Amino acid sequence: MKISYILDVIIAITGPLYEWRSIDTRRIDFHIHQLNKLPWFQELYQEEKYRKLFVMNYKTRRYLDSPFRVKRLMNSPKAHLHFLKMLNKQLERKKRNHEKALW
């Protein structure tokens, strides 16, 4: 087993303990660039509603800040589905908050 994989697992597990850590925009941009090489991600990125989440949504950016999660996204179809569910959940939240603001 590679040491880098073990370190990624440790970081993923202990990550929630360090929520105060700021989001690294350059790392997120790099991860988006890596993911953009994959056809399924290119399709997502072409849709404006998802692209806005990648740029402006805290939870989505926090997800893309993790090297462990990005590697998993690149290699696991199950992770793709989980990511897509998370994106749709964020879109639904955004829609609900917008509707509340209109009232």
Side-chain angles (χ1 to χ4, degrees):
M1 194 178 296
K2 290 185 177 181
I3 291 179
S4 64
Y5 178 77
I6 294 170
L7 289 174
D8 286 342
V9 170
I10 291 170
I11 290 169
I13 291 170
T14 60
L17 300 175
Y18 300 103
E19 281 299 316
W20 52 266
R21 183 177 65 89
S22 65
I23 292 178
D24 186 348
T25 301
R26 281 182 272 157
R27 182 174 39 225
I28 294 168
D29 292 342
F30 175 72
H31 289 159
I32 289 172
H33 180 71
Q34 283 183 314
L35 288 167
N36 228 345
K37 296 175 185 175
L38 304 171
W40 67 268
F41 190 82
Q42 287 174 1
E43 289 177 24
L44 281 179
Y45 199 75
Q46 288 175 356
E47 292 189 46
E48 185 179 351
K49 62 183 179 181
Y50 293 120
R51 191 172 46 249
K52 282 184 178 180
L53 286 177
F54 299 147
V55 173
M56 301 179 75
N57 183 270
Y58 179 80
K59 222 172 193 173
T60 304
R61 291 185 64 75
R62 173 64 85 191
Y63 192 94
L64 292 172
D65 192 28
S66 166
F68 178 75
R69 288 183 182 140
V70 171
K71 283 181 188 177
R72 212 170 49 198
L73 274 176
M74 294 177 85
N75 298 318
S76 169
K78 187 176 178 182
H80 302 172
L81 293 175
H82 175 74
F83 183 64
L84 190 57
K85 284 180 185 178
M86 191 258 318
L87 290 175
N88 288 324
K89 186 175 180 180
Q90 293 305 308
L91 286 172
E92 193 61 37
R93 248 186 215 156
K94 183 179 174 184
K95 182 179 175 183
R96 272 189 304 207
N97 288 341
H98 180 68
E99 287 173 356
K100 283 182 184 177
L102 294 177
W103 285 91

